[in-house]
Amino acid sequence: MPAKDQLAQRRYEKLVDQLESMMQAALKPQYKGFYGQLILSGDDLAGMGELKDVRRAAREAGRRLGWKTTTHLTGGRLFVLDEREPPQEIRQLAADATAEAMDRARRTAHRTN
């Protein structure tokens, strides 16, 4: 393998490792590995290389984590999401957390009016 190809491969593997670490860190422990997401800003992306390579590396990092990974570019940000269907107990936990957050937001909005 030519040195240029080896360098590109090492750079790609380093990017996969970096993204895997970021994705792992973004997980909420209570969801036991489900509902994974990582949002990369334009500034984050600028230092990572070509968008196609970042997306490919994110999908590889997701596979390592057991995710069903999808990527979406919106408004200059790259969303890396785990699209797996979580078990019922995790769905219920997430629904309860969402309801609590909405209740807090409603109470806060009510106090400021």
Side-chain angles (χ1 to χ4, degrees):
M1 181 181 288
K4 187 175 181 179
D5 290 346
Q6 288 177 346
L7 179 61
Q9 183 62 31
R10 283 196 308 268
R11 205 175 290 134
Y12 173 76
E13 289 169 4
K14 183 178 177 184
L15 180 58
V16 172
D17 291 342
Q18 177 187 6
L19 288 168
E20 180 182 7
S21 177
M22 294 169 74
M23 293 159 74
Q24 183 73 40
L27 289 171
K28 294 181 178 180
Q30 65 269 32
Y31 297 151
K32 299 180 182 174
F34 289 92
Y35 291 116
Q37 67 176 13
L38 178 65
I39 303 169
L40 299 170
S41 69
D43 290 339
D44 295 329
L45 292 170
M48 292 185 169
E50 299 262 344
L51 180 60
K52 66 179 178 55
D53 295 331
V54 175
R55 291 178 98 152
R56 185 169 62 102
R59 288 189 298 271
E60 175 63 28
R63 276 191 291 280
R64 289 182 182 182
L65 294 170
W67 292 15
K68 180 181 175 188
T69 310
T70 60
T71 62
H72 304 278
L73 185 65
T74 305
R77 288 176 289 201
L78 181 66
F79 293 78
V80 182
L81 307 170
D82 176 9
E83 297 284 332
R84 290 177 299 160
E85 185 68 31
Q88 176 59 32
E89 68 183 56
I90 303 298
R91 285 197 311 265
Q92 187 61 53
L93 187 63
D96 292 347
T98 300
E100 289 173 19
M102 291 177 71
D103 285 344
R104 280 193 306 276
R106 222 172 303 158
R107 285 193 302 270
T108 301
H110 182 68
R111 277 184 267 165
T112 59
N113 289 331

